[in-house]
Amino acid sequence: MAGAHATKTSWRLQEFVAHSSNVSCLALGKSSGRLLATGGEDCKVNIWGVNKSNCIMSLTGHNNPVECIQFNSSEEQVAAGSQSGSLRVWDLEAAKILRSLSGHKANITSLDFHPFGDYLASGSMDTNIKVWDVRRKGCVFTYKSHSQAVRYLAFSPDGKWLASAGDDSTIKLWDVTAGKIITEFTAHTAAVNIIQFHPNEYLLASGSSDRTIKLWDLEKFKMIGSSDVETGAVRCVLFHPDGGCLYSGASDSLRVYGWEPDRCFDVVPVGWGKVADMAICNNKLIGLSHHQTNVSSYLVDLTRVKRSGGAVVQPTEPSPKGSTLRRSYERPMTTCSGPQRVKQSSESERRSPSSEDEKEENESAAEIRNADDYHEIFQPRNAISRSPPKPGDLFPAPMEDETFIVRASSVKEAMTPMPDKQQLKKPPIAMSTPVQRVEPTVVSAPPRPTTTTTTTTTTHAAARPMASDPTPPGPQPPRAPPQATTAAAKPRAPPPINIIPSSRKEPIGLNVADFRPNSFHKGPEVLGDEEAQSQIKKGHDTMCVMLSSRQKNLEAVKAVWGSGDVKNCLDMAVAMNDRSIVVDLLNIVNLKPVLWKLDLCTSILPQIEELLQSKYESYVQTGCMSLKLILKRFWPLISETLKAPPSVGVDITREERLQKCKACFKQLKNLSNVVKTKADQVGRHGSAFKELQLLLAPLDY
């Protein structure tokens, strides 16, 4: 038994809320082990630093839940595939969308970047594998051989081969240069979930739902070993960087395997449940798992894990002791060129950029949430970049008798600035609800119409605070929207009012001079402490009263929300005459469209008209999103009800519905006029209003 002062072999590093809805996939950067990407049902990709609880960057653009995610070898790019079959690739250093690719007919289930060239392989539920030229933006080859979903893809270390595993229990090896299948392995009896190439030798490991791990010789194309049956499906395997052993992330444990002869060196209990990905950093194995909206990270100290000895598992065929000498991979010194170039498919297989792809790219964005971590990791001033850290206590192990405290961080909830009429701006106060957590930013912004606009957004994002940052008191003239700078080269008519951006370099009203005595810059005159404090505290009591009033309002709304009556909750917020609370509620309801009812529309449409004419960007965004949801869900019902002939007899339910539809139609006509006046605006707001104008077009017929 370990001594009282011995350090732990495995422990939980942290747990945090990664998305506003369920996490569907995640990936670790294998080169450094310090970077994490998560994909969620909220259609977003979030970038994190391991052992850092704040999101570094949030990537938007997908319109369907993200199903698969992967970093490239340098961790400068990340790719994500969605349920719709679309792919997006982001440049993390430039903080912008790089490519939008489409061609699959079903969910993307697997991704892998070529180790040297600008190529990306994707596998799908449609059973096809596609290889994409990211630089030229097109599909260069499609492999068709699997009979069921392609579950995992992996390029060989030299980039010449591509291995694929599928739900059809097979593993296929493809020659990337020739574009042909080399061989097929069929020993597994259930879906193959993961495959990994040995870092040096011609050896392949595979894990399956049949609860076994198998090893394949890629020179003789035969199986050389198989593990005992594990406690559950094998979802995660990883070779040690020196190739000396194989780690398997089993259910709540880490197993260490050797081969020739097959043997299990060690079993380390780890409470990670179903581990989703693993990486090695500084002699520590990092394992990640996710459950609902949470992501948990665990560490195993590999210096305390056995890598020799262990019980021998009966090999498939008699083999001599010791490691058999195998051929090693020959890695090219330059990028993929010459013989390394992926064979191009026929003209019918190639896919050129389309206007639809251009539109999707323009609608994607990369929002920097943590400027300090972003600059440290993606724009370093020295060579540390994302390279693995020098040996040391990057993740110090806790003592055996130490109670480990998990650093849990929750995703902040969407908040907004105070209403227009308030002279002193109140800082938003987060209100937790039993319905849904929401992201730190306001609901997804309207589509970006041009690449220029997207670039402007990401350029300024590095220094922006969170949307939930408090807004100190003090006057400040409204600033022009970011797109005004972008369009300076081509002068256009300015919008009717100046929009205050929801993401800005500093909170509204913050002026350092307001917090200093008037004589601060005069030099010789020095104020006493009491006089200085009285000037600094000027207006403090007024602010406290305003904040207390808003807190009471939020608590009252929260109490009604707990009863499940959304309409009464919104009616109460409207009656309070505090538009910021209305916007906070709409941000939550917009994330769950099933909460919308026809009677809710009658209450909220008049408020949307005010939001669309607000000077606050966040109010405009929320109003646009709410109006879009109402039109898509309720316009067919409103139109059919108004066109239907009178009913025979008395139908009270129909009459009530008819009155609600008439009220909604009247308000939508008013909104149509507001939208028309704003559709000529430049930038993403103009694009959002143009989209609303199209949705409102049927009202004129």
Side-chain angles (χ1 to χ4, degrees):
M1 182 175 293
H5 298 288
T7 57
K8 293 183 178 181
T9 302
S10 65
W11 64 97
R12 181 162 63 174
L13 183 64
Q14 67 175 155
E15 181 176 357
F16 57 92
V17 179
H19 288 267
S20 61
S21 56
N22 290 342
V23 178
S24 51
C25 58
L26 56 81
L28 275 163
K30 298 298 189 296
S31 300
S32 67
R34 301 171 65 187
L35 210 55
L36 164 66
T38 59
E41 293 180 0
D42 57 4
C43 310
K44 293 183 179 180
V45 174
N46 290 337
I47 307 297
W48 311 78
V50 174
N51 203 24
K52 293 180 182 292
S53 56
N54 294 323
C55 178
I56 299 173
M57 193 184 305
S58 185
L59 311 174
T60 59
H62 277 298
N63 298 317
N64 293 275
V66 179
E67 291 282 291
C68 188
I69 197 166
Q70 189 64 262
F71 287 104
N72 70 341
S73 57
S74 64
E75 298 176 14
E76 296 171 356
Q77 298 175 10
V78 67
S82 73
Q83 279 187 0
S84 65
S86 66
L87 282 166
R88 279 175 171 77
V89 183
W90 285 271
D91 185 327
L92 298 179
E93 290 193 339
K96 67 177 184 179
I97 183 73
L98 186 63
R99 286 289 179 263
S100 179
L101 307 167
S102 58
H104 285 291
K105 300 177 181 178
N107 307 36
I108 304 292
T109 51
S110 52
L111 292 167
D112 196 33
F113 280 92
H114 192 277
F116 308 111
D118 294 319
Y119 296 104
L120 173 68
S122 61
S124 170
M125 293 280 286
D126 63 10
T127 74
N128 292 334
I129 302 166
K130 291 183 179 291
V131 178
W132 308 85
D133 187 332
V134 177
R135 180 179 50 195
R136 298 184 179 179
K137 192 181 178 182
C139 177
V140 297
F141 215 92
T142 300
Y143 302 120
K144 299 180 179 180
S145 182
H146 284 281
S147 59
Q148 295 183 43
V150 180
R151 194 56 57 186
Y152 202 88
L153 293 172
F155 280 103
S156 61
D158 61 1
K160 294 180 179 178
W161 292 346
L162 175 66
S164 61
D167 286 350
D168 55 7
S169 310
T170 65
I171 302 167
K172 301 180 189 293
L173 196 64
W174 306 84
D175 186 325
V176 176
T177 307
K180 297 179 180 179
I181 190 169
I182 299 173
T183 190
E184 179 179 343
F185 302 123
T186 58
H188 281 293
T189 58
V192 184
N193 301 316
I194 188 167
I195 45 180
Q196 288 286 313
F197 282 95
H198 191 281
N200 303 312
E201 302 177 8
Y202 273 37
L203 192 66
L204 181 73
S206 60
S208 168
S209 293
D210 63 12
R211 300 187 294 169
T212 65
I213 297 171
K214 300 188 186 299
L215 289 160
W216 312 88
D217 188 316
L218 299 182
E219 284 188 285
K220 300 177 181 178
F221 300 120
K222 68 176 184 178
M223 186 172 69
I224 62 167
S226 180
S227 71
D228 282 338
V229 176
E230 296 198 1
T231 55
V234 181
R235 292 183 174 84
C236 205
V237 296
L238 179 68
F239 280 103
H240 192 280
D242 64 11
C245 64
L246 177 70
Y247 298 107
S248 168
S251 179
D252 286 324
S253 67
L254 175 73
R255 295 176 182 265
V256 189
Y257 289 105
W259 55 93
E260 297 178 329
D262 299 336
R263 56 206 183 278
C264 181
F265 293 139
D266 203 353
V267 179
V268 182
V270 189
W272 53 29
K274 296 179 180 179
V275 62
D277 200 10
M278 300 189 302
I280 293 176
C281 175
N282 200 23
N283 264 333
K284 301 286 196 307
L285 183 140
I286 306 166
L288 293 167
S289 60
H290 58 84
H291 178 67
Q292 294 182 348
T293 61
N294 288 13
V295 171
S296 301
S297 58
Y298 295 80
L299 288 180
V300 179
D301 187 350
L302 297 183
T303 61
R304 304 189 62 191
V305 176
K306 295 179 182 178
R307 293 183 54 195
S308 61
V312 175
V313 180
Q314 183 64 34
T316 307
E317 294 181 7
S319 58
K321 290 186 178 182
S323 178
T324 304
L325 294 177
R326 285 189 185 83
R327 183 178 172 186
S328 296
Y329 298 107
E330 297 177 0
R331 294 173 174 80
M333 298 300 293
T334 58
T335 57
C336 189
S337 60
Q340 285 292 316
R341 167 117 6 226
V342 176
K343 179 182 177 181
Q344 303 288 319
S345 64
S346 62
E347 289 299 324
S348 61
E349 287 287 342
R350 291 194 192 182
R351 189 176 179 279
S352 300
S354 64
S355 58
E356 185 67 24
D357 288 339
E358 296 290 346
K359 178 182 177 182
E360 290 177 353
E361 286 182 16
N362 294 334
E363 292 175 354
S364 303
E367 179 187 357
I368 298 171
R369 299 282 184 82
N370 190 314
D372 292 339
D373 288 343
Y374 168 75
H375 288 296
E376 176 188 350
I377 296 174
F378 296 109
Q379 294 184 341
R381 296 181 181 179
N382 50 44
I384 62 168
S385 188
R386 287 166 299 286
S387 24
K390 295 179 180 179
D393 290 332
L394 180 65
F395 305 115
M399 296 297 177
E400 286 283 7
D401 56 351
E402 178 181 347
T403 302
F404 185 73
I405 300 175
V406 180
R407 282 177 46 201
S409 69
S410 62
V411 175
K412 297 179 182 177
E413 299 177 342
M415 299 305 299
T416 56
M418 291 300 296
D420 306 340
K421 63 181 180 181
Q422 297 291 342
Q423 187 173 3
L424 294 175
K425 306 298 186 289
K426 305 176 191 176
I429 301 172
M431 181 187 72
S432 60
T433 75
V435 180
Q436 182 89 31
R437 286 184 181 272
V438 290
E439 290 288 322
T441 54
V442 182
V443 290
S444 303
R448 275 78 168 168
T450 61
T451 306
T452 308
T453 305
T454 303
T455 306
T456 304
T457 304
T458 55
T459 303
H460 291 284
R464 291 174 182 163
M466 298 297 109
S468 58
D469 285 347
T471 307
Q476 180 185 5
R479 295 183 289 120
Q483 53 264 38
T485 304
T486 306
K490 297 180 180 180
R492 298 185 184 181
I497 56 173
N498 288 330
I499 300 295
I500 298 177
S502 58
S503 297
R504 47 197 176 268
K505 292 183 178 180
E506 67 279 331
I508 297 174
L510 179 60
N511 188 346
V512 177
D514 294 341
F515 296 90
R516 292 175 176 170
N518 294 332
S519 58
F520 185 84
H521 297 286
K522 294 182 180 179
E525 185 178 352
V526 179
L527 293 177
D529 291 344
E530 292 184 2
E531 187 177 355
Q533 289 178 9
S534 65
Q535 292 195 28
I536 292 173
K537 291 181 178 179
K538 192 176 296 182
H540 175 73
D541 293 338
T542 303
M543 175 59 71
C544 287
V545 171
M546 296 176 68
L547 291 178
S548 298
S549 174
R550 188 180 185 200
Q551 184 179 12
K552 290 178 182 178
N553 289 343
L554 286 170
E555 288 174 349
V557 171
K558 181 181 177 183
V560 178
W561 181 275
S563 67
D565 193 335
V566 181
K567 185 178 185 303
N568 281 345
C569 190
L570 278 166
D571 287 342
M572 175 182 286
V574 171
M576 290 175 178
N577 200 24
D578 190 341
R579 201 177 303 163
S580 61
I581 294 180
V582 174
V583 174
D584 288 339
L585 287 173
L586 282 178
N587 285 334
I588 298 170
V589 178
N590 286 345
L591 292 175
K592 202 153 188 175
V594 293
L595 296 176
W596 284 94
K597 306 295 181 186
L598 187 60
D599 56 350
L600 189 64
C601 298
T602 60
S603 298
I604 209 61
L605 279 171
Q607 301 302 313
I608 292 178
E609 184 175 356
E610 296 182 11
L611 295 181
L612 295 184
Q613 300 180 78
S614 172
K615 67 179 179 181
Y616 293 110
E617 182 186 37
S618 58
Y619 286 19
V620 177
Q621 291 177 6
T622 301
C624 288
M625 180 62 69
S626 300
L627 181 56
K628 190 188 303 183
L629 285 172
I630 291 173
L631 289 170
K632 288 183 177 180
R633 291 179 64 87
F634 295 104
W635 172 245
L637 172 64
I638 294 171
S639 177
E640 291 174 7
T641 303
L642 295 177
K643 292 178 181 178
S647 60
V648 179
V650 179
D651 187 342
I652 297 177
T653 303
R654 184 185 182 283
E655 286 299 320
E656 289 179 349
R657 184 168 61 249
L658 178 61
Q659 293 304 316
K660 292 176 184 177
C661 289
K662 286 181 177 179
C664 288
F665 181 82
K666 181 180 179 181
Q667 193 60 45
L668 287 172
K669 288 290 288 183
N670 295 337
L671 283 168
S672 178
N673 297 329
V674 174
V675 169
K676 286 178 182 177
T677 61
K678 292 180 173 290
D680 294 332
Q681 289 186 14
V682 179
R684 59 181 177 180
H685 296 297
S687 175
F689 283 118
K690 286 184 179 69
E691 183 180 1
L692 289 174
Q693 188 177 17
L694 292 174
L695 292 173
L696 288 165
L699 271 72
D700 298 330
Y701 298 105

